[in-house]
Amino acid sequence: MTSPGTGAGGSFSALTITDADFNRLVKFVQGNYGIDLSQKRQLITGRLSTPLKQRGYTSFTDFVNHVLQTKDNDLITLLLDKLTTNYTFFMREKEHLDLFCQKIIPDRKSVV
């Protein structure tokens, strides 16, 4: 028996996505969330294949159809969580905190 998201021999096998499904998914995400995935085909298949298989999807067509027809919040959250990276620089470095404390806070106090 193989684990979810793996094929025979335990190697990962990504679902393939058709051009039509890729374009529909890109258009949906761009139109609703402002995220451009038009250059992220490999990211989409790589990050979504395993969770889709775990949920019983055997193709991206079934998944994209379901998302577009039902607007299922749980699936949309999964989609966005898997395809986006929360990455910030602000306040990670001492210089950022110093700037915030020395410039931004005093400027805000003078406005109030």
Side-chain angles (χ1 to χ4, degrees):
M1 181 166 156
T2 60
S3 51
T6 62
S11 63
F12 176 78
S13 107
L15 295 173
T16 56
I17 188 168
T18 65
D19 289 343
D21 291 333
F22 175 74
N23 291 328
R24 292 188 310 145
L25 192 58
V26 166
K27 183 177 177 181
F28 172 77
V29 172
Q30 177 78 42
N32 289 285
Y33 306 101
I35 301 168
D36 181 7
L37 298 172
S38 62
Q39 303 298 313
K40 304 293 184 180
R41 186 183 203 114
Q42 186 174 1
L43 177 103
I44 291 170
T45 58
R47 290 193 181 174
L48 288 178
S49 289
T50 297
L52 266 54
K53 287 178 181 182
Q54 289 171 338
R55 286 164 179 75
Y57 292 98
T58 57
S59 71
F60 269 98
T61 299
D62 294 340
F63 172 72
V64 174
N65 286 343
H66 190 123
V67 168
L68 297 181
Q69 290 169 2
T70 67
K71 309 291 192 274
D72 182 302
N73 285 330
D74 291 335
L75 288 179
I76 292 170
T77 298
L78 169 77
L79 173 70
L80 296 176
D81 284 351
K82 292 294 181 183
L83 299 181
T84 59
T85 304
N86 297 321
Y87 190 69
T88 62
F89 285 104
F90 191 70
M91 302 273 238
R92 288 191 179 186
E93 306 293 332
K94 182 180 180 322
E95 294 80 15
H96 298 159
L97 182 58
D98 290 344
L99 174 68
F100 189 75
C101 291
Q102 295 168 7
K103 178 74 176 142
I104 296 173
I105 291 176
D107 286 353
R108 292 291 300 153
K109 284 184 179 179
S110 68
V111 172
V112 179

